Amino acid sequence: MACLKLPAAAALLLLCLFASSASAEDKPAAPAAAAAPKTSKIIESAGETQLPNGVGDVALDGACKADAAAFCKGITPGEGRVAMCLTRRIKQAQQGNMAGRMVRPKCEEQVAAYKVERSKHINKDPALARACKDDAANFCKSVSDSSTPGSVLVCLREKQRKLTTQCKGEILRTQAEIAEDWRLDPQLYSACSASAAKLCQEAEPGTEVDCLLASSKSLDWSCLGHVVRVEKEAAGDIRLNMKLFRACVNDQKKFCKGIEPGHMRVQECLEDAMDKAGFSGGCKAALEEVIQMRVADFRLDTGLLDACEDDLRAVCSTSADKMEKSSEEKDRAMACLQQFKEELHSDACRDKVQRKMQRMSRDIRFDDVLANACQADRKSYCPEVQPGSARVIRCLQDHRSSLSQTCAAALFDHEVKMAEDIDFKYPTRKACAWEISNFCKNIPHGHARVIRCLQSRLSDEDMSPECKAEVVRDQNRMAQDYRLNWRLKTACKADIGALCEGLCNDKEGQMCGGVVLQCLQDKQDNLTSPACQEEVFYYQLMEVTDFRNDVILAEACRADVDKYCKDVEPGEGRVHTCLRHNMNFLSPACAREESKLQALEYRDIRLKPKLAKVCSEERAVYCKRVKPGKARVITCLMEAMTQPNFGTECRAELQQRQKAVKNDYRYDIGVMTGCRNDIEEFCAEEKTKLRGNATVLRCLVQNFEKTGEPCQAEMSRAVRFALWDYQAGQALTRECDADVDAFCPKVGPALCHRCSCLQAGGVAARATLPLCLPG
């Protein structure tokens, strides 16, 4: 029987199926003359090479003969077309999408062998070579596959962002093939085959590179370099990471449908969905493993490096090449990007840094500085705590007082970095998800705006107990060092430098406690920045609401709180009220701090919630245009108390305040500031005896003629207010007791009655009583 007539192209590959009907004993027919193998030199600089199997396709006279005839009818062999057809069939069978006959194992091996051979030289892959001919001439003309197999393709992948669209498409196809079979990267396979045989015998196909990367400490430099190169090349596209792709295929369909692969888009979409209901544990674990690898080797974080290339140079004075040569330079550069996030020029870079910090806040494994510093502490205090959801970080925070100095410093630095955005406070963001979406839905994230929004709604009955507990915890921590309060730290930067310089070592890891916050309060009248003034006031609101927000007071009163107020729930000023009820029994340090805070409250009506509430109508009528602060509103209300329509509740609350003012000069901001120098000159000894017994006020009364005009003016006002609510034996009005007995013995003690009587009697003119109704 004669040979079948075949198309010219197929005749080059296929032999006659049968020779003649000769018996087994007959001699075999002489083989047809073999066609000369075709060569390819599309990219001249790569060198000339022979096409695999003569035409650049899988051989059709061997193990794939029957399968090609069954599955690839009508496909002309050449340029890998038959191999591609058979590959599609193999994949469909692997995915369970094909019934019936499958490609036989020996044919699968032959297809793989063809691809391995093709990968060694770019000109063996005509479709790839034609698509990338111009790009190779532009970027890789000094590279030859004839001398180093696979080198042109490696060169092109390194320049991928600059390639033409058609070349990028073909490059992606080769990367997808390498993701499934690492042997298709000749340089990688040559450098790492021995290591893989030793370390990755159990690795599933397509995961060999992940296995090698996980064993990076056991690899030689040559192998490690190629593993890192391949991971960098594949990092942006989930399709090129077979382990991640397989683990997340269903989650991708469910949560990221329509998201185009590439440039980390799908991976970032999956990261954003990790905490959503229905997200699989397998995908989450695979994602976390990939992120951890990027943290361990910054070179794998190609998205960040590409987006921040210009900012690394302009803002941080470095580059990826410098970072690769020095771990110290890498750490400095990463810290720089985080510290100066708001100053970065590229929106894309800011977004990548934001995402990196979100990961760091969620999982200690993603903050390599903190993880390394706290490795031993984690084993000691959190051995059973699983990473993720900030659990390990929270555990370390709960054991803060027991941590090593290195770990405690790293934890503090971590908290300072994370103070700027609710997105970096994972437990709070999770506990307050409903509150954020309802109370703060129109407030932009960043600059601690959402954090402040949540703080301002603490008294809202719709806030969940879980959210409230997290916000209060965050407030308490924020009060322990000004740098943990992002808004105050930023607003008061200049004032801290001018007024509080040298009080605290501002180096990383060094905590200041409450000294800077105390300094800002003590010098609040000298603050130049309105924003700083507002933030200091807000901190004072935190202090008067919860004693734990005043770290110096909390430490001074620790034993007193345990002794007198242990059953009092912190918040809404309850512990302060308890301590003041027990003022005569408190330790000197606690009494001093509580008195100091009480004096602070009298500076601003907003720091006295009850007074502000009961006097709201009077304030609107009599003090509408009076600016809060420096006791201006309270002074205005005091002067308006004689008005006939002044409310009884407001008057009673003001009189209660006046009782305290008459016994301690620090509660009267006018006297405290106007007489500061006079107190130091005439009443220094009395100042050391402060205990609410009016010793300083008595001293100022006795030295009235010697004091300066500002002090005399303030003392006159203070005496006038004291006479409006006259009581015998009081420090400020004791000089008037005899006149009251002499001129007004029958006048009742109602507000201002005795005051009016004394004025009518001309007592103010008596030279022996300069403080009795002066002015």
Side-chain angles (χ1 to χ4, degrees):
M1 179 176 168
C3 290
L4 296 173
K5 295 290 185 179
L6 298 171
L12 293 171
L13 295 174
L14 300 179
L15 301 174
C16 284
L17 298 176
F18 303 97
S20 63
S21 56
S23 64
E25 290 81 8
D26 292 339
K27 287 184 178 182
K38 286 189 175 181
T39 60
S40 173
K41 196 179 180 181
I42 297 171
I43 298 176
E44 293 189 10
S45 59
E48 188 175 18
T49 186
Q50 291 185 354
L51 292 174
N53 303 309
V55 291
D57 213 332
V58 66
L60 296 184
D61 58 350
C64 290
K65 180 179 179 180
D67 291 318
F71 302 129
C72 305
K73 292 178 181 178
I75 293 179
T76 303
E79 299 193 5
R81 287 185 287 268
V82 175
M84 188 178 297
C85 166
L86 292 170
T87 298
R88 279 197 298 269
R89 183 75 184 189
I90 293 168
K91 286 185 176 180
Q92 289 169 347
Q94 289 172 344
Q95 295 167 0
N97 296 330
M98 189 65 65
R101 175 175 174 166
M102 298 182 183
V103 176
R104 288 176 293 186
K106 286 191 175 293
C107 180
E108 288 189 33
E109 292 174 6
Q110 189 167 325
V111 172
Y114 156 74
K115 291 180 179 179
V116 169
E117 177 63 23
R118 183 181 64 180
S119 69
K120 295 176 181 177
H121 201 298
I122 194 169
N123 283 330
K124 289 180 183 290
D125 191 336
L128 172 64
R130 277 196 296 272
C132 296
K133 181 179 180 180
D134 293 339
D135 294 290
N138 289 331
F139 305 115
C140 306
K141 60 184 178 182
S142 62
V143 180
S144 172
D145 283 340
S146 298
S147 56
T148 308
S151 57
V152 175
L153 193 52
V154 169
C155 171
L156 289 170
R157 287 199 293 262
E158 288 175 349
K159 306 292 184 181
Q160 194 158 355
R161 286 192 297 164
K162 301 178 180 179
L163 302 180
T164 57
T165 301
Q166 62 268 26
C167 182
K168 284 182 180 177
E170 285 297 319
I171 293 291
L172 180 61
R173 188 253 305 168
T174 65
Q175 288 179 296
E177 291 174 343
I178 293 170
E180 294 181 342
D181 188 345
W182 71 301
R183 298 175 300 171
L184 302 187
D185 188 317
Q187 295 186 21
L188 171 69
Y189 186 70
S190 175
C192 297
S193 55
S195 297
K198 181 180 179 182
L199 302 169
C200 303
Q201 292 178 345
E202 305 299 323
E204 294 182 11
T207 66
E208 293 89 350
V209 178
D210 290 330
C211 170
L212 289 168
L213 189 60
S215 307
S216 59
K217 293 182 180 179
S218 302
L219 303 181
D220 60 59
W221 285 108
S222 176
C223 176
L224 180 60
H226 284 292
V227 168
V228 170
R229 169 182 62 78
V230 172
E231 284 293 308
K232 283 174 61 179
E233 293 168 355
D237 196 320
I238 193 172
R239 297 168 297 182
L240 304 180
N241 185 323
M242 293 308 299
K243 184 176 181 179
L244 181 61
F245 179 76
R246 291 168 185 167
C248 295
V249 62
N250 293 325
D251 298 275
Q252 182 180 350
K253 293 176 182 177
K254 185 175 182 179
F255 298 103
C256 304
K257 188 176 181 180
I259 302 295
E260 185 70 22
H263 299 286
M264 296 295 296
R265 286 185 289 260
V266 173
Q267 292 95 313
E268 289 178 352
C269 170
L270 290 170
E271 280 186 53
D272 292 341
M274 281 173 68
D275 293 325
K276 292 182 179 179
F279 198 89
S280 72
C283 180
K284 186 173 184 178
L287 267 175
E288 289 176 343
E289 184 178 333
V290 169
I291 295 170
Q292 197 170 357
M293 288 180 179
R294 292 207 300 262
V295 171
D297 193 328
F298 79 96
R299 294 172 296 180
L300 303 181
D301 198 344
T302 56
L304 184 143
L305 290 177
D306 289 346
C308 296
E309 181 179 358
D310 293 337
D311 282 305
L312 279 170
R313 185 166 46 253
V315 178
C316 303
S317 302
T318 191
S319 66
D321 290 339
K322 291 180 181 178
M323 293 163 64
E324 190 167 351
K325 294 175 183 176
S326 167
S327 60
E328 290 80 7
E329 182 68 7
K330 183 264 293 184
D331 292 341
R332 188 193 70 79
M334 290 300 178
C336 168
L337 290 175
Q338 293 164 32
Q339 181 179 354
F340 298 103
K341 178 166 67 77
E342 296 301 313
E343 299 176 26
L344 300 176
H345 304 140
S346 164
D347 292 340
C349 181
R350 274 196 300 274
D351 178 66
K352 296 297 182 184
V353 174
Q354 177 86 3
R355 284 185 170 276
K356 182 177 180 65
M357 294 179 72
Q358 282 183 252
R359 297 183 198 117
M360 293 165 62
S361 71
R362 190 177 70 238
D363 196 320
I364 191 172
R365 296 173 298 177
F366 306 155
D367 185 337
D368 54 340
V369 174
L370 180 61
N372 292 334
C374 294
Q375 194 170 14
D377 296 87
R378 182 179 170 188
K379 290 179 180 178
S380 297
Y381 304 112
C382 314
E384 305 300 325
V385 180
Q386 293 298 311
S389 299
R391 286 184 290 264
V392 175
I393 296 171
R394 175 57 59 88
C395 174
L396 292 171
Q397 290 170 333
D398 291 341
H399 291 86
R400 188 187 309 277
S401 60
S402 303
L403 299 179
S404 66
Q405 185 176 356
T406 301
C407 178
L411 181 61
F412 174 72
D413 290 340
H414 172 92
E415 291 170 319
V416 170
K417 283 189 291 188
M418 301 305 161
E420 184 260 342
D421 198 323
I422 188 68
D423 292 336
F424 304 155
K425 295 176 180 284
Y426 181 85
T428 306
R429 181 164 60 91
K430 184 177 181 182
C432 298
W434 183 88
E435 287 79 2
I436 292 170
S437 62
N438 286 274
F439 297 158
C440 316
K441 62 181 178 181
N442 296 320
I443 295 177
H445 290 214
H447 293 193
R449 287 180 287 246
V450 175
I451 296 169
R452 176 60 55 83
C453 169
L454 292 172
Q455 291 171 346
S456 69
R457 301 298 290 266
L458 272 172
S459 59
D460 196 305
E461 60 182 16
D462 290 331
M463 179 174 276
S464 68
E466 295 79 11
C467 178
K468 185 172 183 178
E470 283 298 332
V471 175
V472 169
R473 177 190 173 106
D474 190 52
Q475 268 193 335
N476 295 162
R477 179 62 182 147
M478 188 185 298
Q480 293 178 9
D481 192 297
Y482 81 97
R483 289 167 294 179
L484 298 172
N485 185 332
W486 187 90
R487 293 173 68 93
L488 184 144
K489 179 189 74 170
T490 305
C492 296
K493 184 177 180 180
D495 285 305
I496 290 171
L499 303 173
C500 308
E501 187 178 10
L503 285 180
C504 172
N505 185 346
D506 205 27
K507 291 176 63 177
E508 289 187 358
Q510 298 288 324
M511 288 194 63
C512 299
V515 293
V516 174
L517 292 167
Q518 191 72 61
C519 168
L520 290 171
Q521 287 187 117
D522 293 344
K523 300 181 179 181
Q524 60 184 302
D525 292 336
N526 299 320
L527 299 177
T528 58
S529 164
C532 181
Q533 293 169 0
E534 188 63 29
E535 290 304 322
V536 170
F537 168 72
Y538 196 86
Y539 168 67
Q540 292 169 342
L541 272 179
M542 290 167 53
E543 283 184 304
V544 300
T545 302
D546 190 331
F547 84 102
R548 295 170 298 183
N549 291 334
D550 185 335
V551 63
I552 295 176
L553 182 147
E555 182 61 30
C557 295
R558 185 191 304 275
D560 298 277
V561 171
D562 290 342
K563 186 174 183 179
Y564 302 111
C565 312
K566 64 179 180 180
D567 296 325
V568 178
E569 180 186 2
E572 299 182 2
R574 287 183 287 264
V575 173
H576 290 307
T577 301
C578 171
L579 290 172
R580 290 167 192 176
H581 285 163
N582 294 277
M583 199 68 142
N584 292 332
F585 308 104
L586 300 181
S587 65
C590 180
R592 182 171 58 252
E593 292 301 326
E594 192 61 52
S595 295
K596 186 186 295 184
L597 182 65
Q598 197 170 2
L600 183 67
E601 292 173 13
Y602 286 130
R603 288 177 56 98
D604 197 316
I605 192 171
R606 295 172 296 176
L607 298 178
K608 300 286 287 182
K610 184 178 180 181
L611 180 63
K613 183 177 181 181
V614 299
C615 292
S616 58
E617 291 185 10
E618 288 77 7
R619 181 182 175 188
V621 172
Y622 303 113
C623 311
K624 186 176 182 179
R625 292 183 173 82
V626 178
K627 182 180 178 181
K630 296 185 179 181
R632 285 184 288 257
V633 174
I634 295 175
T635 300
C636 171
L637 291 170
M638 291 286 295
E639 292 176 344
M641 280 200 304
T642 58
Q643 298 296 326
N645 295 323
F646 202 89
T648 55
E649 280 190 283
C650 180
R651 177 181 285 118
E653 196 64 31
L654 287 169
Q655 286 177 305
Q656 187 66 28
R657 171 195 178 273
Q658 191 62 17
K659 288 180 182 178
V661 170
K662 287 187 291 187
N663 283 305
D664 195 324
Y665 84 99
R666 293 172 300 178
Y667 299 163
D668 189 322
I669 181 62
V671 173
M672 188 175 71
T673 55
C675 298
R676 179 177 287 120
N677 295 333
D678 300 282
I679 291 170
E680 294 299 328
E681 183 176 356
F682 304 113
C683 309
E685 183 179 353
E686 286 78 4
K687 186 179 175 182
T688 65
K689 301 176 182 178
L690 282 173
R691 189 82 176 181
N693 54 14
T695 53
V696 173
L697 288 171
R698 286 293 306 147
C699 172
L700 289 172
V701 168
Q702 293 164 2
N703 291 279
F704 180 78
E705 296 293 346
K706 300 177 184 177
T707 59
E709 289 185 10
C711 184
Q712 289 185 356
E714 291 298 336
M715 285 297 294
S716 297
R717 178 207 32 93
V719 170
R720 185 169 68 252
F721 286 168
L723 281 169
W724 285 350
D725 186 27
Y726 172 83
Q727 292 178 356
Q730 294 296 313
L732 285 173
T733 57
R734 192 172 300 169
E735 275 74 4
C736 295
D737 289 351
D739 294 287
V740 170
D741 290 339
F743 296 100
C744 313
K746 297 180 181 180
V747 177
L751 185 68
C752 298
H753 286 186
R754 283 176 175 151
C755 173
S756 301
C757 171
L758 288 171
Q759 287 178 324
V763 176
R766 291 172 56 131
T768 56
L769 298 175
L771 278 174
C772 190
L773 294 174

